[in-house]
Amino acid sequence: MRAFLASTVAASALTLALLAAPAAFAEDKAAAASAQAGEYTPDPDAKEGGAIVVTYKDDVSTLDPAIGYDWQNWSMIKSLFDAMMDYVPGTTELRPALAESYDISDDGTVFTFHLRKGVKFHNGREMTADDVKYSLDRVTNPKTQSPGAGFFGSIKGYDDVASGKADHLAGVEVVDPSTVKITLSRPDATFLHVMALNFASVVPHEAVEKWGADFGHHPVGTGAFKLADWTIGQQLVFQKNADYWRDGVPYLDKITFEIGQEPIVALLRLQKGEVDIPGDGIPPAKFREVMSDPEQKARVVEGGQLQTGYITMNVTMPPFDKKEVRQAVNMAINKDRIVQMINNRAIPANQPLPPSMPGYDKSFEGYQYDPDKAKEMLADAGFADGFETELYVMNTDPNPRIAQAIQQDLAGIGIKADIKALAQANVIAAGGAKDEAPMIWSGGMAWIADFPDPSNFYGPILGCAGATPGGWNWSWYCNEDLDKEAAKADSIVDPAKKDERDKMWSDVYGKVMADAPWVPVFNEQRFTMKSKRMGGADDLYVDPVHIPINYDYVYVTDVQ
């Protein structure tokens, strides 16, 4: 997804329940998905009421669903807004959300969504099909500068909107107040997943127009919670939406997100019962201590995730415009040492895809750690004496320490890297500016799949669509030929051809690594800690979609 990483290096889990998700597009021609599909059985022990405290070191950058794209605000936005589709809590199983049902045409290019009636925005107005169209037009409009615009590239008319030739998507049609028809320019095996992303959230035009660029600080959605207070640098308060359209949830009355809490302080407060969820995770320096204490370990939830931590090299900035330089950097990084620094909570990576993702190439060897060969390649590229550069990094532990290890490895081949340790939002902004950040260590923001499909590791972070101002393709790598190959792979919607599609994606990532815009470093596990009073299934605390916590379904056990 997005990019998530807390004080370890990742903060999201991605289970494998729906790895064959593209099959959803190969349903019968009238693949009507009723509201009964993907039903969730409520926890019989859940109690309504109560409030919890969640801590974070840094303030939230935005709560605008068209803009927000980091591990910290992702689940917050999901609790404030809804989209056409969603997932069964704690899983990657798709289910209808604002759409009560949907139909798919024979050729997989026309999706008709039938909306739930009576759903209201937080401002009291009923949501209609016009709001769905407005929201999709808005997120794809270049003026919005949404990092997720490229996800909607298969909708008819997207190219005209992206180029500024049109201000609305020709493929999105309001049939009536409760029906939206979306026509694609090509089959897209991931489209239902796309319609479950935060970027597909429905927003009211009047609220966006009222607040303009500041809508992200005054969000209005249809979600389970609504924003009650935001004191910059201090706290955000979410209040239960009493008119929420899903029966029985949320359970909590209030969530307070306290800002400015160092992870170690948050852990101490958790131990004292003052905090319920340390949002930045278990501090790496305290990990062994926590896991060796049975009482503390009992409050830790562990989950796997489809995540890759990586170093980006901006291919538009010399000397990283030379492929040989980027390849040399790949051979200079001692990944085993970095994995040891995070208590072996990861495995070394050699390609963008994590091992459990379809399309992962088990036979791919990648670039082996070989400083001598790296020096030789630098010399051949005209940099026998090395060069100076900058390495941007999020300032939450262990990321500065990892950056120092990278700095030492680079120094070993003659590259002098000055570390720029900044708040997450500043690093993200630098990456989204074309000529600002020559190198970025992605820790605290590393990529975790938005949905369990190999395409998700390409479009927003390696494809041309993501190489835009405000985007997440921080290497600014754009290979139009590979974009075409990627589109061809995503046009295969027949589940019988899944292996063929996976092989096509393997080839795409192999070619990416030949160009070396990244140094894939490791794939990490996820650990979430909670207070004794927190209730709900463990899956909700390592939810693969509501990163890092599914606030809509957790509860407290001490409500009177």
Side-chain angles (χ1 to χ4, degrees):
M1 163 165 27
R2 15 201 205 242
F4 298 101
L5 248 160
S7 63
T8 71
V9 195
S12 166
L14 198 30
T15 60
L16 308 180
L18 204 61
L19 291 181
F25 286 81
E27 299 280 340
D28 293 335
K29 55 186 176 182
S34 72
Q36 306 304 316
E39 281 299 316
Y40 177 73
T41 302
D43 187 337
D45 297 322
K47 296 183 177 181
E48 292 190 30
I52 65 171
V53 174
V54 182
T55 62
Y56 284 107
K57 180 177 184 290
D58 294 326
D59 209 342
V60 177
S61 57
T62 180
L63 291 175
D64 185 339
I67 305 297
Y69 203 24
D70 60 64
W71 68 269
Q72 187 174 356
N73 63 21
W74 192 259
S75 63
M76 293 184 186
I77 290 173
K78 279 205 169 294
S79 288
L80 296 172
F81 296 89
D82 296 300
M84 292 295 97
M85 303 294 295
D86 191 14
Y87 297 87
V88 174
T91 78
T92 53
E93 180 185 348
L94 277 165
R95 66 172 179 174
L98 293 181
E100 190 170 39
S101 64
Y102 60 87
D103 305 301
I104 307 174
S105 64
D106 281 337
D107 62 1
T109 62
V110 180
F111 291 73
T112 304
F113 294 97
H114 307 284
L115 308 185
R116 297 180 190 273
K117 294 181 174 63
V119 175
K120 293 182 179 180
F121 288 111
H122 298 153
N123 62 10
R125 181 174 68 77
E126 186 170 345
M127 179 208 67
T128 70
D130 286 322
D131 297 304
V132 178
K133 177 172 175 53
Y134 169 80
S135 301
L136 293 174
D137 287 342
R138 175 179 182 255
V139 75
T140 52
N141 190 317
K143 294 179 181 178
T144 304
Q145 293 191 12
S146 171
F151 283 119
F152 305 93
S154 62
I155 297 179
K156 183 179 179 181
Y158 171 82
D159 289 341
D160 286 342
V161 172
S163 66
K165 295 181 180 178
D167 60 5
H168 67 278
L169 293 164
V172 180
E173 177 187 349
V174 175
V175 178
D176 59 48
S178 60
T179 309
V180 178
K181 183 169 73 173
I182 300 178
T183 302
L184 309 184
S185 56
R186 54 178 170 80
D188 181 355
T190 69
F191 191 67
L192 284 181
H193 285 291
V194 169
M195 294 303 288
L197 290 173
N198 283 6
F199 301 115
S201 297
V202 180
V203 300
H205 66 86
E206 67 272 21
V208 175
E209 291 168 2
K210 174 181 178 180
W211 295 106
D214 206 32
F215 177 69
H217 288 90
H218 302 274
V220 178
T222 60
F225 291 90
K226 52 187 177 181
L227 181 67
D229 175 66
W230 188 346
T231 304
I232 302 298
Q234 296 183 33
Q235 69 174 19
L236 294 88
V237 178
F238 282 14
Q239 178 182 331
K240 178 177 182 176
N241 177 9
D243 295 324
Y244 191 47
W245 55 272
R246 283 197 191 278
D247 293 335
V249 290
Y251 299 121
L252 296 170
D253 287 336
K254 186 173 73 170
I255 306 172
T256 299
F257 299 93
E258 295 186 358
I259 306 302
Q261 295 281 312
E262 290 290 342
I264 288 180
V265 175
L267 177 61
L268 292 173
R269 294 186 64 207
L270 174 73
Q271 293 166 344
K272 294 178 180 179
E274 300 172 356
V275 166
D276 295 294
I277 302 288
D280 291 309
I282 304 170
K286 293 289 186 178
F287 183 78
R288 290 185 181 179
E289 175 186 317
V290 167
M291 298 304 285
S292 62
D293 179 347
E295 184 177 349
Q296 293 192 74
K297 185 179 179 180
R299 299 201 295 273
V300 176
V301 180
E302 179 180 355
Q305 59 189 352
L306 294 180
Q307 178 268 0
T308 300
Y310 51 91
I311 303 166
T312 62
M313 291 169 280
N314 190 324
V315 302
T316 70
M317 297 179 68
F320 297 115
D321 56 343
K322 291 191 174 185
K323 179 173 67 175
E324 295 77 13
V325 171
R326 303 193 299 269
Q327 292 173 331
V329 171
N330 265 272
M331 289 185 285
I333 305 303
N334 187 341
K335 301 174 185 179
D336 290 330
R337 179 169 66 127
I338 294 174
V339 168
Q340 291 172 4
M341 293 175 63
I342 59 170
N343 299 311
N344 295 307
R345 288 184 287 171
I347 58 173
N350 65 7
Q351 56 192 286
L353 291 181
S356 50
M357 177 71 86
Y360 178 83
D361 186 353
K362 295 181 180 179
S363 66
F364 184 73
E365 296 183 356
Y367 297 94
Q368 302 302 309
Y369 175 55
D370 191 340
D372 292 335
K373 178 64 175 176
K375 286 182 182 179
E376 181 181 327
M377 290 193 69
L378 273 187
D380 291 343
F383 296 94
D385 297 325
F387 57 87
E388 295 184 1
T389 188
E390 293 178 333
L391 174 63
Y392 283 67
V393 58
M394 182 178 167
N395 59 6
T396 301
D397 188 61
N399 299 305
R401 291 191 291 116
I402 292 174
Q404 289 172 356
I406 295 169
Q407 182 186 49
Q408 292 169 8
D409 289 340
L410 293 175
I413 64 170
I415 299 175
K416 183 179 180 181
D418 181 28
I419 295 176
K420 300 290 186 183
L422 306 171
Q424 182 192 63
N426 297 93
V427 179
I428 292 172
K434 188 172 185 179
D435 300 315
E436 187 168 343
M439 301 183 78
I440 297 177
W441 160 242
S442 70
M445 305 154 292
W447 200 253
I448 296 176
D450 297 280
F451 45 80
D453 189 89
S455 66
N456 188 230
F457 268 76
Y458 182 79
I461 53 176
L462 285 165
C464 295
T468 57
W472 278 76
N473 184 345
W474 297 339
S475 64
W476 290 82
Y477 174 71
C478 176
N479 185 323
E480 294 182 355
D481 289 335
L482 281 187
D483 270 15
K484 292 177 182 177
E485 291 186 32
K488 185 176 180 181
D490 274 351
S491 69
I492 298 177
V493 298
D494 185 349
K497 296 183 177 180
K498 179 181 181 300
D499 290 344
E500 177 185 342
R501 180 173 181 267
D502 289 348
K503 178 60 169 61
M504 291 175 71
W505 272 114
S506 294
D507 292 344
V508 166
Y509 288 112
K511 292 174 182 177
V512 167
M513 288 309 299
D515 284 341
W518 280 14
V519 180
V521 178
F522 57 58
N523 309 114
E524 193 187 15
Q525 283 286 93
R526 175 185 172 196
F527 299 82
T528 299
M529 201 168 181
K530 59 180 180 176
S531 68
K532 293 180 180 179
R533 64 196 289 263
M534 293 302 300
D538 282 354
D539 288 347
L540 300 173
Y541 294 90
V542 286
D543 193 296
V545 179
H546 288 246
I547 309 295
I549 308 292
N550 191 324
Y551 297 115
D552 299 3
Y553 288 84
V554 299
Y555 57 91
V556 291
T557 59
D558 58 358
V559 176
Q560 299 301 320

